[in-house]
Amino acid sequence: MPETGPGSAASLGKRLLAFVVDLVLAALITAAFTAPAYPGDWSLLTWLVITVVPVSFFGATPGMALTKIWVARVDSTKMVGPLRAVLRGLLTVLIIPAVIWNFDGRSWHDRISGTIVLRR
């Protein structure tokens, strides 16, 4: 894996920006269905859907596409797939696995699901 440029591990800043974009998108989509009430916890379900489905089949959430990063499997060139995407999403919801990082730029939720977030 290269140190910089396409194919290198995505920076924390890009990953955080992509995550915030996805959270805001989930809140806006959910608010469209729950207005005038606040979306509440339903936003979490929407976030899981807009995270799991695109990562399963395309390797990127809307926020990741915007920041030019993507999720790849470590063990092959195949799609991430639904099982790994669901595991990754659920571990992100737990927060701790997503915020503990190793020296190689992978968080625990990436390590456990066998994925890595790369630059395009």
Side-chain angles (χ1 to χ4, degrees):
M1 191 169 57
E3 293 244 352
T4 60
S8 64
S11 68
L12 177 60
K14 283 191 173 210
R15 290 179 69 151
L16 184 60
L17 178 59
F19 181 68
V20 169
V21 167
D22 292 336
L23 285 176
V24 169
L25 181 61
L28 291 172
I29 290 169
T30 308
F33 291 98
T34 63
Y38 290 113
D41 293 337
W42 289 106
S43 293
L44 182 59
L45 180 61
T46 305
W47 177 84
L48 275 170
V49 170
I50 67 171
T51 298
V52 169
V53 174
V55 167
S56 295
F57 302 107
F58 308 111
T61 66
M64 289 177 171
L66 183 70
T67 58
K68 298 181 180 171
I69 59 177
W70 62 293
V71 181
R73 286 177 58 159
V74 175
D75 63 346
S76 80
T77 57
K78 295 180 185 177
M79 294 184 309
V80 172
L83 292 177
R84 288 176 195 262
V86 166
L87 176 60
R88 196 172 181 280
L90 292 175
L91 289 170
T92 302
V93 169
L94 294 176
I95 299 173
I96 299 298
V99 298
I100 298 177
W101 291 67
N102 290 349
F103 65 92
D104 63 354
R106 290 173 64 201
S107 59
W108 280 15
H109 78 301
D110 281 328
R111 188 165 295 283
I112 292 168
S113 62
T115 59
I116 187 168
V117 181
L118 302 172
R119 292 182 179 132
R120 282 210 187 266

